[in-house]
Amino acid sequence: MLEVPSLLSFGGEDARKGFTGNLNAAFSFAGINASSSSSSSKSWMYQVFLSFRGEDIRKGFAGHLHAAFSDAGINAFLDDKELRRTEFIKTQLEQAIDGSMISIIVFSKRYADSSWCLDELVKIMECREKLGQKVIPLFYNVDASDVRKQTGSFAQAFEKHEAGICEGKLEKEKVQQWRNALTQAADLCGEDLKNTYNGHEAELIKKIIGEVNKQLHSQYKLDIEHPVGITSRLWDLSDQLDIESGSKDVRMIGIWGMGGIGKTTLAKAIYNKFERSFEGRSFLANVREVIVNQAINGLVGLQEKLLNDILKSKEAIKVGSVDVGITMIQERLHCKRALVIIDDVASIQQVKAIARDRDWFGPGSRIIITTRDQHLLEQIGVDSTYPAEEMDEEEAIELFSWHAFKRDYPNQEYLDLSKRVIHYCQGLPLALEVLGSFLNKRTTSEWESQLERLERSPHETITKILRISFDGLPSHTDRDIFLDISCFFIGMDQDYVTQILDGCGFSATLGIPILIERCLVDVSEENELMMHDLLREMGREIVREKSGRDDPKKFSRLWNREDVTDVLRDESGTEAIEGLALDLQSSDKASFSAATFTNMKKLRLLHFNNVELTGEYNIFPKKLTWLCWHGFPLDSIPDDFPNQPKLVALDLQYSKLKIVWKDCKFLEKLKIINLSHSHCLKESPDLSKLSCLEELILEDCTSLSEVHSSIGDLGRLSVVNLQDCNMLKDLPLNFYNSKSIKTLLLNGCSRFENLADGLGDMISLTTLEAENTAIRQIPSSIVKLKNLEILSVCEVTRSPSTNLLAPSLHGLSSLRELVLEGCSLTEDAIPNDLWSLISLENLDLVDNDFHSLPSLSGLSKLEILSLDGCLNLCAIPDLPTNLKVLEAAGCTGLEKMPDFSEMSNMRELYLSGSYKLTEIPGLDKSLNSMTRIHMESCMNLTANFRKNILQGWTSCGYGGIVLDGDDIPDWFDSVHENNILDFNVPQSVGRNFKGLTLSFVYSSDLDNEIPVVISITDLTQCTVFEAWITDIAEQYDYELGNHYVWQGQLSNDELKLQDGNQVLIQIMPQDNCVKVKKTGVSLVWDKFMNENMTEYDLCGYQRRPSQKAGPSHDISDDSIDLKNDNGITESQHFSELPYLEDCNNDFHKDLSCVISLIDLDLRGNDFHSLILFPSGLSNLQTLCLNDCIHLRAIQDLPTRLKVLKASGCTGLETMPDFSKMSYMRELYLNDSLKLTQIPGLDKSLNSMTRIHMEGCTNLTTDFRKNILQGWSSCGYGGIFLNGIYDIPEWFELVDDVDNQVYFEVPAGRDLKGLTICFFYSSDYPELEDSQGPIRITVKNLTKQTALHARIAFASGQLSNDVLCLQGGDKISILVRPLVDFVRVKKTGVYLEWDKLMKENMRNPDPHLYDLETNRIFSGGVADGAGWSHDASVPTNQSNAVDEPLAVEGCLARLKTHMSSGKESAASLN
């Protein structure tokens, strides 16, 4: 029973026997323990105090209510006897009132007759004001207005009281107190028996019980010490829970994830947030642990807790057995709307005993189940599942800091150490809490020692929790699979690993899915097996524990480099070893004796990289299932290499093999051979004895000129990958005899000329890719391939376009995808019977030369048609009605489109740059299915066509319409001149509010796609709704700055706006080069709106709570009063406001009162100084002061500021002290001509990622030197300074005339990374921002790898954790602008030794680093210097090479603050 005081107050004579008795009975029924004012002379603590007049309701309503309270287990005070009122009793009553949480006042007709009741009432109202006591008035057959105004029967009572004043029996002040108390109580939210419940006392009692239960349970929250990241996850779950909609269905929701991920914490948060919405609630914690510790009575105890929690009976409910408990739950809870949380379930039997069926609980109930086993949720049949995810970096830092420092961010002294711990924990809340608590109050030396310890073995407390999932696996083979993956297979293809472990007899086809379901293993989008780092360490720790921690030769699996090296060097291997991996870089090659394997008779898995073995191979292990030996050093497999009857996969990539073997080995179970990147291999191996071979992978074998004829005799071979074998010209004729090959890959075989006529006999072939080859003609026999699904022959060279394809394709009945991009096809070269491809779904004819196409209307399954860049195309013929996507951007000759009136399946239409188009017939009749129309630079569209599609648009969510234009249609309700507007939702009397039509006008200086976020802030409900539904698409006219108008819709089913709500809309492009000029909104009433987000995974909605409601002023006002607007989280773009001139101190104080402000934009204003009181703006993260040309001084800044933008502040002279700015990440001060230094900036460099001070020509030498030498951030960002001083003299390697530097890495020291500096100039003075595409390519000429660092304009340091350079490696560094109007004049490199280098984890681009191997090394060290992504951007032709690099998404228009020809230097680490 809850020990919460509550109080039931009534006028005893009126109500004691009637209403009050009923009420007390009802409380008893509901489990609320109520007492009346006369029940005892003792002083108790109550949950409810019932105030009533006994004569009115003592034996009726009050008695029933009290009984209901009692049954519900609610402790209520009820005076149910006629006691003689004395001062002693009065004192007791006042103590009871003081000690109660809730007071219920039953106003009956004679309530005011009792001075005792009125005194109680005064005391109750005092407790409400002083103690926050909850007061609920009940109007029992009286009108609230009579109580409020003391009219009716209350007037008669007060006539007597007024007479008492005259007689001297009462004081006038007391009577006035009574009147005031009655008025105040009647104004409270209460219940009216006569008017609301039509006299039905039972209904009123039920409502009171529910309300009291809500109030009581709201005071008892499950403990969540630091609820970091909970709010966003609750928002994510809100739609699945659907608690507040009034839904009557019973739902089961599963939350699953690995141990320690935060499932229980999230379940507690759900309980705390929603439990008041239910009649009953129960949180069954740690079910797994309860069952383990109480094997016999554990389930019975859980059933008893469930029943007692929900029913709240006075007497504890006992359950004799699980079967009895099931029956009681069914019978007693089926009418209760309950919230049940079953935490940490391990088996379906546990759920069946507690919540087997939904009908065990009342309508609207919710059952939440947390578990580590996803499959268990599928067995239960939950309605939806929620995968708990790791914390992101910011959440992890905050949670860790609360435990380690008792604050939300690390102390500066511990910042780098903290980030190392964060990296180790990989977002796992359990690890963050355990290590944070352990490290609290410890010195930095102790932190270092603990981190070193963690490198050797994981923390025991963390491992104990994680190991529960491992120990709970159903079989020992599942545990073996987990250990094998944790030691050897992380990052490898799931299907590949499955075949290997199946070959070990582990039934991995079943076992790996079990590991996935138990959250021990994950699978990436690329089908790679992934594992949390702490689970990996746990697995390896289990191997150590099982085998004797300090004796590696007894380990079942060896993966640690030192352990493996010791065992091999000492030749101490034993039969215990089942798996061994030694991965060395080429510079660390090691040699061992083959004899070291003599005793490893159980070795199943062997992975070598750059290892040599000497001696005889006849003693090599004979039971290998997997042999992976990258860099195999011999020119052939030795004759004495033992037969491997169990070998499933042979991986000898990067080998020095010239021939694989002289005589084919008999490898009866071998399924996979991978010899890729074996550059000396001239002929594929004899495969005649490999009857089970399924995959032959010879990618990038650049010397391979012949494929062995035995390949055609293999009955199970399904995959042949010969990509980039550029010496290969053809295949043996018997290759085409294969009836098993399904996939043939010839992409990049630049000399491959002929596919034989026998191709048509390969009846199993499903995929043929021959891109960038010299194929002259596809043989006509291809039409016999009834199973062919994918045919791709893009960019073929030396191929006459007229005979590339056979005249007829009739017969390719299974072909789903046909790709003929860039083949110079004319209309004569396209078969007229394309219509015969009855299964075709995707037809790609991009960049061809035809003027017209044959009819495509017969392609009944075609969904995607790509015609981009077909410059000669004049007309598109009739299209199949099932087409979903038409891409014809850049078709500059296109004049005629087919009739779209029947295109009811069309979703996306891209016609940008089709200048001659005037309209698309019938498009307005197919808009219901459309999600996206792009017609940028279609300048000749008719006004009627534009109007019809804009006004007819119905699609909500992803996409929208984009047209040329610089204005928003005149039928919009509200238009504002920038990217923000606000409005109030009108009353929807007689009409139905469906949603919003939104529009914005923009210009872009970029050619690539840029996402746009539409933010809808409900200032009334304090919520923010963000829609990632559109992007600024690639432009085809290359005229930067053109204006375009976007229009789209958002449904109110998603927005959830209500009448009268104040709404703020912001359009937020995710790049500063996109400028929004105007924003418009139109409210949609009674119109069909078609929500389409379900089909688009890359876009989405996010709803989250905002801070307190924003400002009440009109956004369009010039003068803005911010005083006491403490709930603003983002400024309303306070730019170019004429009255913000010479701001006085009151303005600064007002601004600093906005305590929740996160983003403040004051650009383009006229003030001379700015004072932001740090104590007030404690949450400010971004401050923009760009182009405040009169600004002289910034006096102070909040210490949690992350981004300061003050570019173009040409008068700025004084900056505040930055030594305490430990959160600062980005600083923009371009063209602050008068600045000489920033005090203390060198003390805050550890947090910085980017500093821009181009055009700051008066910086002192010492200041420049301090920040350049103190820089530690790696990756995105860097320092940008005016380049008049040349590259710093302390750089070791400088190329004075070029953009390329060569060096060899010295051996013998620990290289931490590189600091790179380059000196550049630009010809575009009008461009405003120095962000743009610079690519840093670091080529390791020794290892034949290239790391491409995509930088916004320059990159800071490049860490060797990314570069992986080693002593002796020969390195080339190329700094390469991707546009020709930026030129690099000089490049410098400094090698960093033994210095902390901090990889910037807040990388804005997931493709910041791209690693390539081998493919770029055909043209020498200078290849790729003239690379260009697009023909529209000229390259330096003098540096062009035969094989230019092709890296997607890196082209962007540059913007810079430099005047024409002005030079700048960028320091890169």
Side-chain angles (χ1 to χ4, degrees), residues 563-608:
D563 291 343
V564 175
T565 302
D566 289 344
V567 168
L568 295 180
R569 183 174 292 120
D570 298 342
E571 299 185 12
S572 58
T574 67
E575 284 196 14
I577 300 173
E578 298 177 32
L580 182 149
L582 182 57
D583 186 1
L584 302 177
Q585 300 296 326
S586 58
S587 57
D588 296 330
K589 285 182 181 178
S591 180
F592 307 96
S593 170
T596 191
F597 289 96
T598 302
N599 296 322
M600 299 187 200
K601 300 186 183 302
K602 294 183 180 180
L603 192 67
R604 299 179 287 112
L605 310 170
L606 179 60
H607 180 191
F608 277 161

Side-chain angles (χ1 to χ4, degrees), residues 984-995:
N984 290 322
V985 180
Q987 297 299 314
S988 56
V989 179
R991 54 184 180 172
N992 189 5
F993 177 48
K994 290 293 191 178

Side-chain angles (χ1 to χ4, degrees), residues 255-279:
I255 302 173
W256 62 280
M258 65 182 288
I261 197 70
K263 303 182 296 296
T264 300
T265 302
L266 182 54
K268 286 181 178 180
I270 293 171
Y271 183 92
N272 290 343
K273 180 175 176 62
F274 296 112
E275 54 87 17
R276 292 180 62 184
S277 301
F278 296 87
E279 294 177 69

Side-chain angles (χ1 to χ4, degrees), residues 476-490 492-513 515 521 529 531 557 578-579 604-606 624-627 646-649 669 671-672:
H476 69 89
T477 55
D478 295 328
R479 291 187 279 275
D480 280 334
I481 292 170
F482 174 79
L483 296 179
D484 278 349
I485 293 173
S486 66
C487 293
F488 304 120
F489 294 119
I490 295 174
M492 295 191 187
D493 182 79
Q494 179 184 354
D495 298 332
Y496 176 70
V497 177
T498 298
Q499 290 191 79
I500 293 168
L501 296 182
D502 275 344
C504 295
F506 289 168
S507 302
T509 302
L510 172 64
I512 290 179
L515 299 182
V521 169
L529 293 177
M531 184 181 291
R557 297 158 180 86
E578 298 177 32
R604 299 179 287 112
L605 310 170
L606 179 60
L624 290 175
T625 303
W626 179 50
L627 175 56
K646 293 188 175 183
L647 191 65
V648 170
K669 292 188 177 181
K671 294 183 177 182
I672 302 168

